[in-house]
Amino acid sequence: MMYPYQITSFEAYQEAYKKSVENPELFWEEVASHFVWKQKWDKVLDWNFSEPSIEWFKGAKLNIIENCLDRWVETQPNATALIWEPNDPKEPHRILSYKELHEEVCKFANVLKKNGAKKGDRICIYMPMIPELTIAVLACARIGAIHSVVFGGFSAQSISDRIHDAQCNIVITADGAYRGNKTIPLKSIIDDALINCPSVDNVIVHSRTGIPVSMIKDRDVWWHEEINSLDKNTASICHAEIMDAEDMLFILYTSGSTGKPKGVVHTCGGYMVWTNYTFVNVFQYQQGQVHFCTADIGWITGHSYIVYGPLSAGATSLMFEGIPTWPDAGRFWEIVEKYKVDIIYTAPTAIRSLMSFGKAPVEGKDLTSLKVLGTVGEPINEEAWHWYDDNIGDNKCPIVDTWWQTETGGILISNLAGVTTAKPSFATLPLPGVQPVLVDEQGKEINGNEVSGNLCIKFPWPGMLRTTYGDHERCRLTYFSTYKNLYFTGDGCMRDKVGDYRITGRVDDVLNVSGHRIGTAEVENAINMHTGVIESAVVGYPHDIKGQGIYAYVICNALHEDETHTKQDISQTVARIIGAIAKPDKIQFVSGLPKTRSGKIMRRILRKIAEGELSNLGDTTTLLDPSVVEEIKNNRL
Ligand code: PRX
């Protein structure tokens, strides 16, 4: 068998789980032995959650790219590593074998070196979903540079904050990006971002759209010119830097309950083992299958299940540049048919959006190649689950509902396709190595079944975050201080009578809009940047397609004649500060916000009003000015 650690029966799952809890070091040592290491570890695991300090495979030396590419070049050079489907179905697609991808990665790694990149440098990547994005990520890892990919929908301000936080010295971007019928001027957004980023010395620009860009002297170079300028004889030879298992592999920024996104840090050894192990087991990947993860590489799902998980398993990974609804809502299904996709992994928000077009876009498409369907990013409602099962899987494909987070590196709770039982809207069981606990507000463990609580994990797994970049204390405070000796996920969860887990959503001030995490404080800060705004409070509310919508209560100093105009202005401000994904769906102007006598905004009340639950708002008598609640209720949108 290709993967000796692939679990293929329920009994094997139970056995693996038991082993992973009783003797985690032995368990992971066995799994890790199937990877390419330059030097073996001294110790499998060293940890304490109070600092936190988590070290897996300490002392081991490796390069993750040798595991993702070189070893497959030796055994299956002509196997397809990457299939790329462009935004416009009329444009030609691209297919790269392991040998070709390896060559491209080495060439670009040499370009990075030529531009001064060294081991340990931080490199910001702001690119469209094109093969060069994957190549750039892998090239960074090959030379030991730490990549920080920023999703192409973020604004100049957001990029600048991230570059500044990580002190990046190189930026890799493209002239523009295609998204449906739009062209996004990535390079010009980067130019704006870099006005305030003195750490950046070089910008490498790939030409995707051909739109005019300004190239800054002594700073900006073209990707293709740099490649062409390499010595032809040595261009595709690039030594893979030897890394310690605990050296940083990448930083990925994610939102929390404060205004400032944090740089989640993943390291080389543990992350590699975890993404590979979860990929192979959750999706039950079989050699030769085509795996289509519809996420963007700008998010953790793309990092783990387009790039590192599949490639480290020698799999064929399909990346798609466009959006599910352009030129029409049949785009995903057309791709499945065209490449005979075996596994599709997408988000509930995409399923709900496609559902709203009815069956027509699916009809006539040959989806018989599909074997496994996956979902990730937010709780999936039963209606969407059944639609996916009936219309896409034809009731023949197991659906894996995979719960995890940017911080967890890979999937923690999910059924294993066809091996353990699926249950609509349940992530079901923890993977081997994952020890979930539910706790009450005081941090007391809630035992038994048919219980709900806050979801924590009590033992480290190889893929977990190690720190938040540049601010370890923040990592401790955010994840390891709420409950002693536990990693706190920020999610609420219930365990049913047979022990299956169902994630109910965030219990902190983090929204999940179309599967994207956005902090309410971040949106409030952005709204408050508008000159007309005195104060604001942002909450989530149920949204048919997005899962959660953004509801903003705003106090303005003097309302513009035209309320609609002011609302548009505020939305534009949010788009400029964060990105279009954070634009409020609803803005309600209010004269005051419900506050306690100590000045704390009572979000609970605002949340209920936004949700339309007007009758049971709880005790409002302790508010500074209870009358504002009536006003807000009466003018609810
Ligand atoms: O609330 C959970 C939700 O998404 C959050 C993590 O977001 P992010 O770090 O952006 O990573 C998304 C992709 C892994 C979690 O705290 N979430 C993710 N997957 C699920 C989910 N909620 C319910 N069911 C899931 N399968």
Side-chain angles (χ1 to χ4, degrees), residues 300-301 376-379 401-406 491 503 506 512 517:
I300 192 69
T301 307
V376 60
E378 47 177 321
D401 180 354
T402 65
W403 172 82
W404 59 296
Q405 312 176 295
T406 305
D491 279 320
I503 312 299
R506 303 287 306 193
N512 192 328
R517 247 164 94 166

Side-chain angles (χ1 to χ4, degrees), residues 151-187:
F151 170 63
F154 279 118
S155 68
Q157 181 68 51
S158 295
I159 302 165
S160 162
D161 290 346
R162 286 158 171 77
I163 289 178
H164 192 76
D165 188 74
Q167 288 291 295
C168 299
N169 56 344
I170 295 180
V171 174
I172 307 169
T173 189
D175 47 2
Y178 295 124
R179 260 181 83 75
N181 58 8
K182 294 201 190 90
T183 304
I184 297 139
L186 296 186
K187 174 61 166 62

